[in-house]
Structures are given as C-alpha cells and as structure tokens.
Amino acid sequence: AQSVAQPEDQVNVAEGNPLTVKCTYSVSGNPYLFWYVQYPNRGLQFLLKYITGDNLVKGSYGFEAEFNKSQTSFHLKKPSALVSDSALYFCAVRDDLPGSGNTGKLIFGQGTTLQVKP
Amino acid sequence: DTEVTQTPKHLVMGMTNKKSLKCEQHMGHRAMYWYKQKAKKPPELMFVYSYEKLSINESVPSRFSPECPNSSLLNLHLHALQPEDSALYLCASSRGLAGGKHSYEQYFGPGTRLTVT
C-alpha cells in the first residue's frame, strides 16, 4: 500500500536559519509526491511536486524539496526561514495502485508543525 | 487565478437541520473533491467528481450528499448530522484525475468550519 511518513510532529528553527521538514514514502511503482502548507484556519496551499526529472524541485515562497530514491525521501527545505513560514506542512503521495485507475487520491502524511522563532 | 471559494465560512447547525456547503472554481478544472479535516490532522477524502460525475465515495455516511450541478460548482448537502461531524470541510479542484507524469496538484478552498450542536 502507498504510504507517507512525516517523522517529526514539530520542527523549531530560528528565523534566518535553514529549515528541513522530513518526509519518507513507500509506494508500488513510481512516486508522485507533493508538499502542501496550511496556515491557521485556512485551506491547504500547494507548494511543489515531484513527478519526474531533476531531484531538486523548486516551489513557491522559496521552498524546495529534494527527491532521494535510494532513501525514499522527499524532504522540504528552505535556505533561510521566516517567521511567516510558521504553519502546518503536509507531504502527500498519489495513490495510484496498478489496476486502480487514476483516482486523483492523495495519501497525506500526519503533518509537521513548523515553528520559526524571531 | 488559482482560487477556490467556499461558502459559508462558518456554519452552526443542529442535528435535525438541513444545510448545504458550496464550492466554486473558475480555473476550468474538471476534477473536484470534498475533504473533512479535524484539527491538526491531515484531510480525509470524502468524494471525488470527475467531469461532473461522482468518481469516488469513500464510504461516507448518507447524511452527506454531494452534488455537482456544473463544472464550476460543487455542493455538499448535510442532513441529520452528528456532533462528531464537526470539522473543517475543504473543497479542492484539479485539472483532472490523470496520474503518472501528468499528476496534477489540487487547489484547496479556505474551508467551511462546521459545528454540529
């Protein structure tokens, strides 16, 4: 079965420092991976996705993610954190099992709260 | 424009009431989704529509009834809800359901905060 794990419930970083939010996946077949961010009392916002190609994916708001096939990871990164980056981050993978067709379903991780302190 | 709108923003309803949630997008997307989200948890998929036809029902209780009147609109009709149905209800849309190299991202609305008393 397809699955995603975010091993950290919360990540704390100081403003201006680099940040990493971790995500590992387990899939049958090729992984199609996404990162979303959710600010308090808001919907999810798409940040970036990995479908194929370069292992370093650049996204919105200065975020990027590194796809590592051997470690089955897709960690979200930013070189210099802002207080306004404080939010809940979700990693997700397409749930495209062979024979199930294109359902559009996403399997979400449990989420990681990022706290950036001034 | 990558906006999905949802109304109302907040809704309080009794267990015997009937209400509806509305979602709208004008991005030309052909897939639309309803999710339920509890605080600090990932969204749980409820329904998927593709080209205005119901594609997936994730075994949702019949007190939730989705409707897709046209390609831009998605409704969720609520009837005889339970207090445990209180949650943030999110609508999302994407260009389609295609997978593989054409996997499309979903765009989410701000949600409707539902409280069932």
Side-chain angles (χ1 to χ4, degrees):
Chain A
Q2 320 286 68
S3 67
V4 166
Q6 292 180 243
E8 300 156 318
D9 288 337
Q10 181 157 328
V11 171
N12 298 312
V13 298
E15 188 174 32
N17 282 2
L19 70 87
T20 298
V21 183
K22 294 180 180 177
C23 172
T24 59
Y25 65 88
S26 173
V27 301
S28 303
N30 294 317
Y32 303 104
L33 297 154
F34 301 80
W35 274 104
Y36 288 86
V37 60
Q38 187 173 29
Y39 297 99
N41 299 311
R42 301 292 300 275
L44 278 68
Q45 286 180 232
F46 169 72
L47 284 177
L48 49 81
K49 67 182 179 183
Y50 173 82
I51 303 300
T52 187
D54 289 342
N55 290 341
L56 187 63
V57 180
K58 293 190 181 298
S60 306
Y61 314 119
F63 284 94
E64 57 190 27
E66 187 171 8
F67 173 71
N68 188 316
K69 188 172 183 178
S70 63
Q71 296 185 5
T72 62
S73 66
F74 188 55
H75 300 333
L76 182 70
K77 301 184 179 187
K78 189 174 182 183
S80 178
L82 300 172
V83 172
S84 57
D85 292 330
S86 299
L88 181 58
Y89 290 79
F90 291 104
C91 181
V93 66
R94 283 274 302 210
D95 188 18
D96 288 334
L97 289 172
S100 67
N102 292 323
T103 65
K105 288 175 63 173
L106 294 174
I107 303 295
F108 287 93
Q110 287 303 301
T112 299
T113 298
L114 174 66
Q115 188 85 348
V116 181
K117 298 192 175 176
Chain B
D1 182 10
T2 56
E3 191 178 26
V4 176
T5 60
Q6 289 188 245
T7 55
K9 289 185 179 179
H10 300 275
L11 179 62
V12 179
M13 60 185 289
M15 290 190 285
T16 58
N17 290 161
K18 286 185 181 181
K19 297 286 185 183
S20 296
L21 309 184
K22 178 186 272 191
C23 172
E24 194 165 2
Q25 58 88 13
H26 293 288
M27 296 177 277
H29 288 176
R30 303 317 301 260
M32 296 186 77
Y33 312 74
W34 279 116
Y35 289 88
K36 173 183 177 182
Q37 187 183 28
K38 293 282 196 178
K40 296 195 182 295
K41 296 293 186 183
E44 301 169 31
L45 184 66
M46 300 174 72
F47 303 103
V48 180
Y49 273 83
S50 177
Y51 288 85
E52 300 154 53
K53 288 188 174 10
L54 183 64
S55 175
I56 293 177
N57 176 341
E58 290 285 273
S59 302
V60 179
S62 59
R63 57 185 183 269
F64 295 91
S65 175
E67 178 196 20
C68 191
N70 60 54
S71 61
S72 300
L73 279 176
L74 187 65
N75 297 322
L76 186 62
H77 303 297
L78 313 173
H79 172 56
L81 295 191
Q82 304 296 310
E84 60 264 29
D85 296 322
S86 298
L88 182 68
Y89 287 84
L90 295 166
C91 173
S93 70
S94 66
R95 286 183 63 185
L97 299 184
K101 295 179 182 180
H102 303 287
S103 294
Y104 300 118
E105 60 273 19
Q106 295 178 22
Y107 292 90
F108 286 78
T112 294
R113 176 78 56 192
L114 174 67
T115 302
V116 181
T117 59

